[in-house]
């Protein structure tokens, strides 16, 4: 923001104004109202309040016959001098503080003016004098900029947000990318310091990351943009791990507080009370925000279990008022959640380190979030499992910070406790790679003796490896965990180990051993004291026994066993169990070619839980619907869904799949490729891979059964022969050459095939031929 800061005159901007259309329109509508006399633009240092106020003033200037008066207050040292500063802007000279009010009120009189009063945050005690002046001067309105609200009667406020940052997943043209205000500001300022600066679509990801990591803060973007003179975009991005040292060397005509981001934040920080400064720096340990309870939990670890809610709120208020803290709504329970912009958090982190409290505060943070994790250790099994998982998802960044801190120190016991408490969460959210990393880190600690937490981690690591397709790597951990859980009396995890060992045996084709281990799992369930948990484990054993029955071809028994799981899961409100059982029952219906019933099960499962689309059950159901789509003649939809599922598997590391489903999926993929041809199949597959999880689920839910009518699908032996060659993608002349018949005869046979199968294209005919069982898809 390069401006000519002349008191009285509205500064002349020397750079382009970017974005803020909504704020401009809102400010104009508020100031146009007859009873709205004072409007305050609030936000942290560097957010662009002054620049926005100037733009508003220029837009509204025609509405004020006596003009707009600009009053900069940053250099005014005391509230008693504010009226003198306004008088100076009016051209009044040598005003004394004690007579300044009367002189200004007389000078303004009944004139129609807009007063732009810039940077009031350090002079808030003068705010009542401003409203008193408004009461005596009926045609005057005030537009103020401040990092804090003035908190006077009649005040309206517009919080000035960061500039919008585009989503990196969007597909846009160069001009469309420049419509994103943060990106456009960076590019404009980069060109201002280096006219040779150019960028193209290949640079978009780096530009977006720079804008995002700078929180869309205009001052930070401007300071970073000046670095293009001697750094590449990649170098700028890489240096943002430590933002504040990079964000220096602002324009010399900026006020000193805005020449670096550190100065901009320090200006607000230094206005806080000592108690608020302590809270400010301690809040730096939170990543991704925190709830009031989480803040209280950390402070309790530091200061002891004392009543501190009132004093904590007293200190939070000035942080919010100074725009050093942002308050969001917690979408889970509607409570408040507090967060810092990352550039501000880095400054707070510096203050925490300088105070000597960094290690103690990080330890308190880690212990507090260990307790949160332990509260939700079996969150995916709780009646309110969706909320429990949602809560841990919300705190994922804080949990990651806690893990890193405990891993870097010598507190092995708490590291084991935290890792063990998060194991079920990682499995429920398909975070298998993260689970494997932390489980192995925890088990590698040489000072970690046998404990119940270590036993749990062994079982959880076995499950993470199994779901990643590493059966050989999973079994030793299941075996070790099983023995340890028996010693430490952990029946739930003992049952989980038997469940994992049973699945490992089944996947290796040893159904007898698998069944024996699953029956043992069901037996262990009886020793679980929590009745609800016992019922869930019995249901899990039944469901996996159904897998054995399905593999043996006994679909009726499999249906009975899986239905037992569904019944128990519904009775205990166990959401994950309901989803898995519905998916498996849908697979059994699919095995019987009962497409409508299969889709009914799949749709019910997908509609039950749309909050966490990236999980094992959802991925498997998407694959199952892809199989149904293929078997009912919808090759393109099948390819799209299968491609989406593959991308989700790669993203999560999931490789576990039942052999029966694996062979059906492989058949669907080969068949779809044969029906569509390589180009069309590749396009559909890639469309699925780049589709969002939400859009993929919507696409899967939209699949309808379009079966080939058996009565019209009776092909003659020669037509069936032609159909099989058609499935292989052969042209009419090629088919004629292969069968030693005329092209005309082939054309007649193809026309009859299209009519009998009630389709209109060769591609649709190939799909229908395979779906009706007249031909197998060719090998890839």
């Amino acid at each position: 923001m390069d401006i000519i800061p002349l008191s009285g005159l509205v500064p002349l901007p020397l750079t382009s104004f970017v974005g803020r259309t909504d704020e401009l329109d809102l400010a104009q509508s508020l100031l146009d109202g007859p009873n709205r006399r004072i409007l305050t633009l609030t936000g942290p240092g560097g957010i662009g309040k002054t620049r926005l106020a100037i733009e508003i003033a220029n837009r509204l200037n025609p509405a004020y016959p006596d003009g707009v008066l600009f009053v900069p207050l940053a250099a005014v040292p005391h509230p008693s001098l504010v009226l003198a500063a306004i008088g100076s802007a009016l051209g009044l000279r040598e005003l004394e503080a004690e007579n300044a009010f009367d002189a200004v009120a007389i000078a303004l009189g009944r004139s129609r003016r807009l007063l732009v009063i810039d940077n009031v945050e350090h002079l808030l005690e003068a705010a009542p004098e401003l409203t008193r002046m408004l009461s005596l001067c009926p045609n005057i309105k005030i537009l103020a900029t401040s990092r804090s609200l003035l908190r006077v009667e009649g005040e309206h406020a517009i919080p000035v947000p960061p500039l919008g940052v585009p989503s990196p997943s969007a597909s846009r043209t160069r001009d469309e990318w420049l419509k994103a205000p943060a990106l456009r500001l960076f590019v404009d300022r980069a060109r201002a310091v280096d006219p040779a600066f150019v960028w193209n679509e290949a640079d978009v990801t780096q530009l977006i990351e720079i804008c995002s990591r700078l929180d869309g803060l205009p001052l930070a973007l401007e300071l970073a943009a000046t670095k293009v003179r001697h750094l590449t975009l990649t170098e700028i991005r890489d240096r943002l791990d430590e933002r504040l040292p990079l964000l220096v060397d602002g324009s010399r005509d900026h006020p000193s507080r805005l020449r670096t981001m550190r100065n901009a934040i320090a200006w607000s920080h230094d206005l806080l009370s000592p108690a608020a400064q302590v809270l400010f720096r301690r809040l730096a340990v939170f990543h991704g925000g925190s709830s009031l309870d989480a803040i209280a939990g950390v402070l309790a670890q530091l200061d002891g279990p004392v009543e501190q809610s009132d004093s904590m709120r007293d200190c939070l208020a000035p942080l919010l008022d100074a725009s050093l803290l942002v308050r969001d709504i917690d979408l889970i329970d509607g409570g408040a959640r507090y967060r810092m912009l990352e550039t501000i958090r880095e400054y707070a982190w510096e203050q925490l380190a300088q105070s000597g409290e960094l290690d103690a505060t990080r330890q308190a943070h880690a212990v507090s979030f260990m307790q949160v994790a332990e509260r939700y250790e079996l969150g995916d099994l709780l009646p309110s499992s969706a909320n429990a998982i949602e809560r841990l998802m919300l705190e994922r960044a804080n949990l990651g910070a806690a893990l890193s801190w405990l891993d870097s120190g010598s507190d092995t016991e708490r590291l084991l406790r935290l890792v063990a408490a998060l194991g079920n969460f990682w499995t429920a959210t398909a975070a298998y790679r993260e689970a494997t990393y932390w489980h192995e880190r925890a088990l590698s600690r040489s000072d970690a003796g046998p404990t119940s937490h270590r036993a749990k981690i062994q079982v959880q690591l076995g499950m993470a490896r199994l779901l990643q397709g590493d059966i050989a790597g999973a079994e030793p951990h299941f075996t070790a965990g099983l023995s340890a859980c028996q010693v430490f009396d952990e029946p739930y995890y003992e049952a989980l180990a038997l469940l994992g060992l049973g699945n490992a045996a089944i996947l290796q084709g040893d159904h007898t051993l698998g069944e024996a281990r699953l029956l043992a799992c069901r037996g262990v369930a009886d020793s679980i004291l929590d009745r609800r948990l016992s019922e869930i484990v019995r249901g899990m054993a039944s469901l996996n026994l159904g897998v054995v029955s399905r593999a043996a071809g006994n679909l009726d028994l499999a249906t009975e066993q899986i239905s037992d799981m569904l019944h128990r899961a519904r009775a205990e409100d166990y959401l994950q169990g309901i989803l898995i059982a519905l998916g498996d029952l849908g697979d059994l219906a699919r095995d019987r070619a009962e497409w409508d019933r299969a889709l009914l099960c799949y749709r019910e499962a997908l509609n039950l839980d749309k909050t966490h689309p990236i999980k094992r059950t959802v991925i498997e159901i998407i694959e199952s619907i892809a199989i149904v789509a293929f078997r009912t003649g919808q090759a393109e939809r099948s390819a799209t869904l299968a491609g989406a599922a593959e991308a989700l598997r790669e993203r999560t590391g999931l490789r576990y799949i039942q052999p029966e489903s694996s062979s059906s999926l492989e058949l669907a993929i080969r068949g779809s490729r044969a029906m569509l041809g390589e180009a069309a199949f590749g396009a559909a597959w890639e469309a699925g891979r780049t589709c969002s999880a939400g859009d993929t689920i919507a696409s899967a839910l939209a699949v309808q059964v379009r079966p080939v009518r058996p009565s019209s699908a009776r092909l003659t032996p020669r037509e069936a022969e032609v159909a099989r060659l058609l499935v292989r993608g052969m042209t009419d002349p090629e088919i004629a050459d292969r069968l030693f018949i005329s092209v005309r005869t082939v054309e007649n046979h193809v026309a009859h095939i299209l009519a009998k199968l009630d389709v209109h294209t060769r591609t649709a005919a190939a799909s229908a031929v395979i779906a009706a069982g007249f031909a197998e898809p060719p090998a890839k």
Side-chain angles (χ1 to χ4, degrees):
M1 178 193 61
D2 297 322
I3 59 175
I4 301 173
L6 297 176
S7 180
L9 298 176
V10 177
L12 175 65
L14 300 180
T15 56
S16 60
F17 182 75
V18 176
R20 308 293 194 203
T21 302
D22 291 343
E23 289 78 17
L24 278 169
D25 292 343
L26 179 58
Q28 181 170 358
S29 67
L30 288 173
L31 288 170
D32 280 346
N35 298 317
R36 293 162 184 157
R37 307 281 309 283
I38 183 165
L39 173 64
T40 307
L41 304 179
T42 64
I47 200 71
K49 299 182 295 297
T50 299
R51 186 67 177 84
L52 176 59
I54 292 169
E55 201 68 21
I56 294 168
N58 286 330
R59 178 187 281 197
L60 294 180
N61 193 37
Y64 295 91
D66 297 303
V68 177
L69 193 71
F70 185 82
V71 186
L73 297 182
V76 175
H78 194 273
S80 64
L81 300 177
V82 169
L83 270 299
I86 296 174
S88 178
L90 284 165
L92 305 177
R93 297 290 178 252
E94 299 181 1
L95 288 181
E96 299 294 336
E98 55 269 18
N99 62 15
F101 182 88
D102 292 338
V104 168
I106 291 170
L108 290 173
R110 305 190 73 83
S111 64
R112 295 186 62 187
R113 285 181 181 271
L114 175 66
L115 270 59
V116 179
I117 303 182
D118 191 38
N119 293 114
V120 189
E121 59 270 355
H122 61 303
L123 305 166
L124 295 178
E125 293 176 11
E129 291 292 278
L130 297 178
T131 55
R132 180 179 165 217
M133 181 180 65
L134 289 179
S135 68
L136 296 176
C137 305
N139 298 319
I140 298 300
K141 293 191 177 185
I142 291 176
L143 174 62
T145 74
S146 175
R147 302 187 189 193
S148 303
L149 289 170
L150 305 189
R151 298 195 180 280
V152 292
E153 186 176 356
E155 179 184 26
H156 290 75
I158 297 178
V160 181
L163 293 176
V165 179
S167 168
S169 62
S171 178
R172 297 178 176 143
T173 65
R174 181 186 176 90
D175 289 341
E176 287 171 335
W177 284 117
L178 284 174
K179 291 178 182 178
L183 193 149
R184 180 181 163 197
L185 180 68
F186 183 92
V187 170
D188 282 359
R189 300 308 186 257
R191 286 173 177 163
V193 299
D194 182 6
F197 173 76
V198 293
W199 66 283
N200 53 45
E201 279 73 6
D203 299 318
V204 165
T205 300
Q206 292 174 329
L207 283 168
I208 291 175
E209 188 171 354
I210 289 169
C211 295
S212 178
R213 292 173 68 181
L214 292 175
D215 302 304
L217 279 170
L219 177 59
L221 292 168
E222 291 184 0
L223 293 171
T226 65
K227 307 305 176 185
V228 301
R229 288 173 294 190
H230 53 273
L231 295 175
T232 67
L233 290 175
T234 300
E235 290 170 332
I236 292 173
R237 181 199 62 192
D238 292 344
R239 282 164 169 76
L240 290 180
D241 287 335
E242 294 184 357
R243 296 167 180 78
L244 295 179
L246 178 74
L247 305 179
V248 297
D249 301 328
S251 298
R252 290 187 178 89
D253 55 355
H254 274 19
S256 60
R257 71 185 187 285
L258 295 182
R259 287 180 191 158
T260 73
M261 276 305 301
R262 181 179 282 106
N263 287 349
I265 301 167
W267 172 269
S268 295
H269 170 267
D270 294 346
L271 296 175
L272 298 173
S273 68
Q277 288 180 355
V278 171
L279 180 59
F280 170 73
R281 63 178 181 252
R282 288 177 172 180
L283 290 177
V285 296
F286 291 98
H287 296 248
S290 56
S291 65
L292 202 60
D293 286 343
I295 297 171
V298 171
L299 296 183
Q301 295 288 330
L302 290 168
D303 302 330
V306 297
E307 283 295 329
Q308 55 187 341
S309 58
D310 289 341
S311 61
M312 181 175 65
R313 286 188 176 88
D314 289 343
C315 290
L316 279 173
L319 297 182
L320 290 165
D321 288 346
S323 302
L324 293 170
L325 201 61
V326 178
R327 181 168 58 192
D328 299 319
I329 298 298
D330 187 331
L331 296 179
I332 300 174
D333 56 20
R337 188 168 179 83
Y338 302 89
R339 64 179 172 87
M340 289 178 173
L341 299 178
E342 282 302 303
T343 308
I344 293 175
R345 195 177 74 82
E346 185 175 323
Y347 179 85
W349 189 274
E350 288 182 352
Q351 298 302 304
L352 186 62
Q354 292 171 12
S355 73
E357 295 180 339
L358 180 59
D359 287 355
T361 309
R362 293 192 70 185
Q363 179 70 8
H365 174 271
V367 171
S368 179
F369 278 95
M370 178 197 71
Q371 294 169 347
V372 170
E374 289 181 330
R375 189 181 314 145
Y376 297 111
E377 178 179 344
L378 299 179
D380 61 319
L381 300 170
L382 298 173
S384 57
S385 61
N387 283 349
I389 297 298
E390 204 52 73
R391 175 60 60 196
L392 291 177
M393 288 285 287
L394 193 61
E395 300 296 0
R396 198 160 202 162
N398 281 311
L399 292 166
L403 285 164
S404 296
W405 171 252
L406 293 174
D407 184 47
S408 68
S410 59
D411 197 345
T412 297
E413 179 189 357
R414 287 196 172 104
L415 176 63
L416 289 170
R417 285 174 62 182
L418 180 53
V419 171
L422 289 174
N424 287 313
F425 165 68
W426 283 322
T427 299
T429 55
Y432 309 123
R433 296 189 184 97
E434 185 179 5
T436 300
Y437 174 82
W438 283 113
H439 288 138
E440 290 179 343
R441 291 287 298 175
L443 292 176
S444 69
R445 299 292 282 254
S446 59
D447 55 343
T451 65
S452 62
H453 306 297
R454 188 179 177 89
K456 294 176 184 178
I457 292 171
Q458 289 279 15
V459 176
Q460 292 165 348
L461 178 54
M463 192 61 70
R465 285 193 174 280
L466 180 69
L467 292 170
Q468 291 175 93
D470 182 9
I471 300 173
E475 286 187 302
H477 293 293
F478 281 134
T479 302
L482 176 63
S483 299
C485 286
Q486 290 168 341
V487 170
F488 290 103
D489 192 24
E490 291 286 351
Y492 168 72
Y493 287 95
E494 180 184 347
L496 197 62
L498 287 166
L499 197 70
L501 287 168
N503 269 285
I506 294 167
L507 290 171
Q508 296 174 94
D510 193 339
H511 295 161
T512 301
L513 178 58
E515 185 175 18
R517 287 171 169 172
L518 294 173
L519 290 171
C521 170
R522 192 159 65 184
V524 171
D526 295 335
S527 64
I528 298 177
L529 297 180
D530 185 296
R531 187 205 61 80
R532 181 176 178 277
L533 193 56
S534 175
E535 283 292 293
I536 289 173
V537 171
R538 289 184 65 84
M540 292 164 65
S542 292
L543 181 136
N544 284 274
L545 286 167
V547 173
V548 177
S549 300
R550 181 191 179 199
N554 193 340
L555 301 188
D556 290 339
L557 179 58
T559 300
E560 179 183 329
Q561 290 166 325
I562 295 170
S563 296
D564 177 67
M565 170 59 171
L566 182 59
H567 172 75
R568 293 176 191 274
R570 289 194 194 280
E572 304 303 334
D573 192 21
Y574 173 38
L575 179 61
Q576 184 65 13
I578 296 171
L579 299 179
I580 296 173
L582 285 170
D584 283 7
L585 287 173
D587 291 346
L588 291 173
R590 193 188 73 224
D591 290 347
R592 295 185 174 100
E594 296 172 350
W595 314 123
D596 283 314
R597 179 176 294 182
L599 287 178
L600 192 66
C601 291
Y602 299 147
R603 288 194 198 105
E604 182 181 353
L606 291 180
N607 281 316
L608 277 174
D609 185 18
K610 294 181 179 178
T611 55
H612 305 296
I614 312 301
K615 60 170 49 172
R616 171 196 155 195
T617 311
V618 173
I619 296 171
E620 291 175 339
I621 289 175
I622 290 169
E623 290 173 337
S624 294
I625 295 178
I627 295 168
V628 172
F630 162 72
R631 296 298 295 178
T632 57
Q634 302 168 72
E636 184 176 358
R637 180 66 63 89
S638 177
T640 300
L641 292 174
E646 181 193 66
L648 292 174
R649 280 184 174 272
E650 290 174 0
R651 178 172 169 182
T652 61
L654 175 67
R655 295 186 64 188
Y656 174 90
I657 186 171
Q658 294 177 18
E660 292 73 25
S661 293
S662 178
S663 59
S664 295
L665 181 62
E666 182 183 350
L667 181 66
I669 293 171
R670 285 195 291 114
S672 297
R673 178 180 274 110
M675 294 177 209
L676 296 172
E678 198 61 44
F681 174 84
W685 184 270
E686 190 58 30
R689 286 186 57 85
T690 57
C691 192
S692 70
D695 287 344
T696 297
I697 290 176
S699 179
L701 287 169
V703 171
Q704 301 290 330
V705 175
R706 298 195 319 226
V708 176
R709 294 197 298 271
S711 60
S712 63
R714 294 176 183 150
L715 304 184
T716 67
R718 176 61 86 180
E719 287 168 350
E721 199 172 14
V722 171
R724 284 191 288 272
L725 297 177
L726 185 141
V727 164
R728 294 173 61 180
M730 297 177 72
T731 64
D732 288 351
E734 289 171 336
I735 294 173
D737 185 59
R738 174 67 62 88
L739 298 180
F740 302 104
I741 57 179
S742 70
V743 174
R744 179 69 176 173
T745 301
V746 173
E747 290 173 348
N748 288 334
H749 284 314
V750 171
H752 292 154
I753 292 168
L754 294 177
K756 287 182 177 183
L757 296 179
D758 193 22
V759 295
H760 303 288
T761 66
R762 295 171 71 91
T763 298
S767 176
V769 166
I770 295 174
F774 293 118
E776 288 292 318
K780 182 177 178 181

